[in-house]
PDB file of all heavy atoms in Angstrom:
ATOM      1  N   PRO B  70     -14.470  -0.337 -16.134  1.00 96.00           N
ATOM      2  CA  PRO B  70     -15.773  -0.457 -16.820  1.00 96.00           C
ATOM      3  C   PRO B  70     -16.835  -1.237 -16.014  1.00 96.00           C
ATOM      4  O   PRO B  70     -18.001  -1.022 -16.263  1.00 96.00           O
ATOM      5  CB  PRO B  70     -15.393  -1.222 -18.117  1.00 96.00           C
ATOM      6  CG  PRO B  70     -14.141  -1.931 -17.786  1.00 96.00           C
ATOM      7  CD  PRO B  70     -13.402  -1.060 -16.808  1.00 96.00           C
ATOM      8  N   ASN B  71     -16.353  -2.082 -15.121  1.00 95.00           N
ATOM      9  CA  ASN B  71     -17.321  -2.771 -14.274  1.00 95.00           C
ATOM     10  C   ASN B  71     -16.647  -3.147 -12.942  1.00 95.00           C
ATOM     11  O   ASN B  71     -15.443  -2.874 -12.778  1.00 95.00           O
ATOM     12  CB  ASN B  71     -17.901  -4.036 -14.949  1.00 95.00           C
ATOM     13  CG  ASN B  71     -16.802  -4.973 -15.393  1.00 95.00           C
ATOM     14  OD1 ASN B  71     -16.033  -5.478 -14.557  1.00 95.00           O
ATOM     15  ND2 ASN B  71     -16.679  -5.191 -16.694  1.00 95.00           N
ATOM     16  N   ALA B  72     -17.408  -3.736 -12.061  1.00 94.00           N
ATOM     17  CA  ALA B  72     -16.869  -3.975 -10.695  1.00 94.00           C
ATOM     18  C   ALA B  72     -15.796  -5.011 -10.647  1.00 94.00           C
ATOM     19  O   ALA B  72     -15.141  -5.178  -9.595  1.00 94.00           O
ATOM     20  CB  ALA B  72     -18.030  -4.369  -9.783  1.00 94.00           C
ATOM     21  N   SER B  73     -15.579  -5.730 -11.705  1.00 95.00           N
ATOM     22  CA  SER B  73     -14.622  -6.829 -11.628  1.00 95.00           C
ATOM     23  C   SER B  73     -13.423  -6.653 -12.554  1.00 95.00           C
ATOM     24  O   SER B  73     -12.650  -7.598 -12.748  1.00 95.00           O
ATOM     25  CB  SER B  73     -15.332  -8.176 -12.012  1.00 95.00           C
ATOM     26  OG  SER B  73     -15.869  -8.046 -13.312  1.00 95.00           O
ATOM     27  N   PHE B  74     -13.225  -5.451 -13.047  1.00 96.00           N
ATOM     28  CA  PHE B  74     -12.094  -5.285 -13.990  1.00 96.00           C
ATOM     29  C   PHE B  74     -11.670  -3.827 -14.039  1.00 96.00           C
ATOM     30  O   PHE B  74     -12.471  -2.945 -14.103  1.00 96.00           O
ATOM     31  CB  PHE B  74     -12.535  -5.756 -15.388  1.00 96.00           C
ATOM     32  CG  PHE B  74     -11.450  -5.744 -16.426  1.00 96.00           C
ATOM     33  CD1 PHE B  74     -10.316  -6.554 -16.263  1.00 96.00           C
ATOM     34  CD2 PHE B  74     -11.522  -4.904 -17.506  1.00 96.00           C
ATOM     35  CE1 PHE B  74      -9.316  -6.549 -17.218  1.00 96.00           C
ATOM     36  CE2 PHE B  74     -10.512  -4.887 -18.473  1.00 96.00           C
ATOM     37  CZ  PHE B  74      -9.387  -5.695 -18.335  1.00 96.00           C
ATOM     38  N   SER B  75     -10.334  -3.647 -14.063  1.00 98.00           N
ATOM     39  CA  SER B  75      -9.800  -2.315 -14.261  1.00 98.00           C
ATOM     40  C   SER B  75      -8.549  -2.404 -15.092  1.00 98.00           C
ATOM     41  O   SER B  75      -7.831  -3.443 -15.068  1.00 98.00           O
ATOM     42  CB  SER B  75      -9.469  -1.665 -12.910  1.00 98.00           C
ATOM     43  OG  SER B  75      -8.874  -0.401 -13.081  1.00 98.00           O
ATOM     44  N   THR B  76      -8.227  -1.333 -15.821  1.00 98.00           N
ATOM     45  CA  THR B  76      -7.016  -1.283 -16.618  1.00 98.00           C
ATOM     46  C   THR B  76      -6.288  -0.005 -16.338  1.00 98.00           C
ATOM     47  O   THR B  76      -6.899   1.041 -16.032  1.00 98.00           O
ATOM     48  CB  THR B  76      -7.294  -1.362 -18.101  1.00 98.00           C
ATOM     49  OG1 THR B  76      -8.138  -0.252 -18.483  1.00 98.00           O
ATOM     50  CG2 THR B  76      -7.951  -2.657 -18.511  1.00 98.00           C
ATOM     51  N   LEU B  77      -4.968  -0.059 -16.409  1.00 98.00           N
ATOM     52  CA  LEU B  77      -4.104   1.102 -16.354  1.00 98.00           C
ATOM     53  C   LEU B  77      -3.295   1.103 -17.652  1.00 98.00           C
ATOM     54  O   LEU B  77      -2.606   0.112 -17.935  1.00 98.00           O
ATOM     55  CB  LEU B  77      -3.188   1.039 -15.158  1.00 98.00           C
ATOM     56  CG  LEU B  77      -2.166   2.176 -15.001  1.00 98.00           C
ATOM     57  CD1 LEU B  77      -2.865   3.485 -14.700  1.00 98.00           C
ATOM     58  CD2 LEU B  77      -1.154   1.853 -13.892  1.00 98.00           C
ATOM     59  N   LYS B  78      -3.428   2.161 -18.390  1.00 98.00           N
ATOM     60  CA  LYS B  78      -2.797   2.203 -19.693  1.00 98.00           C
ATOM     61  C   LYS B  78      -1.743   3.325 -19.712  1.00 98.00           C
ATOM     62  O   LYS B  78      -1.970   4.417 -19.193  1.00 98.00           O
ATOM     63  CB  LYS B  78      -3.828   2.428 -20.791  1.00 98.00           C
ATOM     64  CG  LYS B  78      -3.297   2.359 -22.207  1.00 98.00           C
ATOM     65  CD  LYS B  78      -4.412   2.591 -23.214  1.00 98.00           C
ATOM     66  CE  LYS B  78      -5.414   1.453 -23.236  1.00 98.00           C
ATOM     67  NZ  LYS B  78      -6.407   1.548 -24.311  1.00 98.00           N
ATOM     68  N   ILE B  79      -0.612   3.027 -20.336  1.00 97.00           N
ATOM     69  CA  ILE B  79       0.432   4.024 -20.540  1.00 97.00           C
ATOM     70  C   ILE B  79       0.663   4.118 -22.030  1.00 97.00           C
ATOM     71  O   ILE B  79       1.033   3.120 -22.684  1.00 97.00           O
ATOM     72  CB  ILE B  79       1.739   3.658 -19.834  1.00 97.00           C
ATOM     73  CG1 ILE B  79       1.460   3.316 -18.362  1.00 97.00           C
ATOM     74  CG2 ILE B  79       2.735   4.811 -19.926  1.00 97.00           C
ATOM     75  CD1 ILE B  79       2.682   2.777 -17.619  1.00 97.00           C
ATOM     76  N   GLN B  80       0.485   5.289 -22.579  1.00 97.00           N
ATOM     77  CA  GLN B  80       0.675   5.480 -24.026  1.00 97.00           C
ATOM     78  C   GLN B  80       1.099   6.893 -24.317  1.00 97.00           C
ATOM     79  O   GLN B  80       0.344   7.852 -24.044  1.00 97.00           O
ATOM     80  CB  GLN B  80      -0.645   5.155 -24.748  1.00 97.00           C
ATOM     81  CG  GLN B  80      -0.746   5.635 -26.198  1.00 97.00           C
ATOM     82  CD  GLN B  80       0.245   4.949 -27.138  1.00 97.00           C
ATOM     83  OE1 GLN B  80       0.867   3.972 -26.771  1.00 97.00           O
ATOM     84  NE2 GLN B  80       0.396   5.490 -28.298  1.00 97.00           N
ATOM     85  N   PRO B  81       2.293   7.102 -24.872  1.00 96.00           N
ATOM     86  CA  PRO B  81       3.344   6.130 -25.095  1.00 96.00           C
ATOM     87  C   PRO B  81       4.188   5.921 -23.878  1.00 96.00           C
ATOM     88  O   PRO B  81       4.306   6.814 -23.025  1.00 96.00           O
ATOM     89  CB  PRO B  81       4.181   6.842 -26.174  1.00 96.00           C
ATOM     90  CG  PRO B  81       4.005   8.287 -25.875  1.00 96.00           C
ATOM     91  CD  PRO B  81       2.627   8.465 -25.332  1.00 96.00           C
TER      92      PRO B  81
END
Side-chain angles (χ1 to χ4, degrees):
Chain B
N71 56 61
S73 59
F74 184 65
S75 177
T76 59
L77 177 68
K78 186 179 292 186
I79 308 173
Q80 165 65 13

